[in-house]
Amino acid sequence: QVQLVESGGGLVQTGGSLRLSCAASGSIFRINTMGWYRQAPGKQRELVATITSGGITNYADSVKGRFTISRDNAKNTVYLQMNSLKPEDTAVYYCNYNSLRNRSWGQGTQVSVSS
């Protein structure tokens, strides 16, 4: 089992910034992909960004140029730096861990961007 704990969510004005953190613990397989997904009320969960243990990143088109995903393998932690936030970024953000052995989801952290 892998446990994920997110932090860093909050309320910010349009154009502001937030940094999300997700700390993983448990039976972590060294070759894995971690990432962030988000879900707004009444909408489907969507991919925001992912990063492999080798550092390969993938971003949703809607956040390219504004968000940056990074990770610290020594700390088993993934980060999401969110800049130039827009109201449409408002959602619950979920951390994800995926490996050949297992996959896990965090409980989610609320990000609210006021217009």
Side-chain angles (χ1 to χ4, degrees):
Q1 298 277 12
V2 173
Q3 294 76 46
L4 305 174
V5 180
E6 303 109 326
S7 63
L11 175 64
V12 66
Q13 294 183 351
T14 297
S17 299
L18 286 172
R19 190 177 78 149
L20 306 183
S21 298
C22 174
S25 62
S27 301
I28 301 170
F29 187 55
R30 65 186 182 90
I31 302 175
N32 61 70
T33 297
M34 296 186 71
W36 294 93
Y37 293 72
R38 66 187 182 187
Q39 187 168 22
K43 296 185 178 181
Q44 295 183 332
R45 186 174 298 185
E46 64 177 358
L47 180 148
V48 177
T50 61
I51 183 168
T52 70
S53 49
I56 304 300
T57 59
N58 181 47
Y59 296 92
D61 288 340
S62 60
V63 306
K64 286 182 178 178
R66 299 189 298 121
F67 292 8
T68 302
I69 189 169
S70 61
R71 63 187 292 165
D72 185 336
N73 290 340
K75 296 182 178 180
N76 293 319
T77 300
V78 64
Y79 307 93
L80 185 68
Q81 178 65 46
M82 304 184 293
N83 298 324
S84 301
L85 283 162
K86 305 174 181 179
E88 49 263 46
D89 295 318
T90 296
V92 176
Y93 284 68
Y94 297 91
C95 183
N96 173 262
Y97 164 92
N98 182 249
S99 74
L100 293 176
R101 293 184 61 201
N102 49 37
R103 59 186 178 184
S104 299
W105 291 95
Q107 291 299 116
T109 184
Q110 178 70 49
V111 171
S112 298
V113 184
S114 62
S115 61

